């Protein structure tokens, strides 16, 4: 069974961290923030778990990547 999770886009996620979208997108590329859903297509939107973004933002620091690749 799949839990319904609130999803947000990169602009809203970046705002939660208090950073610009370019920095947030770099964190995503670096694997520091996991993508919840990637829409098909070359320029498909990336959506993020709003609860996880809030948790990471509350830490008040840049999320770090663990050895297993999870933020």
């Amino acid at each position: 069974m799949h839990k319904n999770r609130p999803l947000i886009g990169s602009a809203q996620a970046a705002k939660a961290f208090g950073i610009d979208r370019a920095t947030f997108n770099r964190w995503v590329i670096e694997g520091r923030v996991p993508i919840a859903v990637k829409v098909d297509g070359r320029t498909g939107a990336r959506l993020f778990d709003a609860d996880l973004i809030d948790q990471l933002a509350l830490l008040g620091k840049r999320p770090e990547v663990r050895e297993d690749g999870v933020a």
Side-chain angles (χ1 to χ4, degrees), residues 24-70:
F24 180 78
N25 286 330
R26 187 173 57 251
W27 288 3
V28 173
I29 291 167
E30 292 171 352
R32 297 179 184 281
V33 180
I35 300 168
V37 175
K38 168 83 168 67
V39 178
D40 289 338
R42 185 176 64 79
T43 60
R46 296 176 299 188
L47 300 174
F48 304 89
D49 181 319
D51 294 333
L52 177 61
I53 295 298
D54 287 345
Q55 289 172 5
L56 293 173
L58 284 175
L59 294 175
K61 62 180 182 181
R62 176 180 171 160
E64 298 298 329
V65 175
R66 299 186 324 215
E67 280 188 31
D68 61 4
V70 177

Side-chain angles (χ1 to χ4, degrees), residues 8-25:
I8 59 174
S10 59
Q12 190 174 353
K15 186 176 180 179
F17 283 104
I19 59 174
D20 60 40
R21 236 169 70 182
T23 299
F24 180 78
N25 286 330

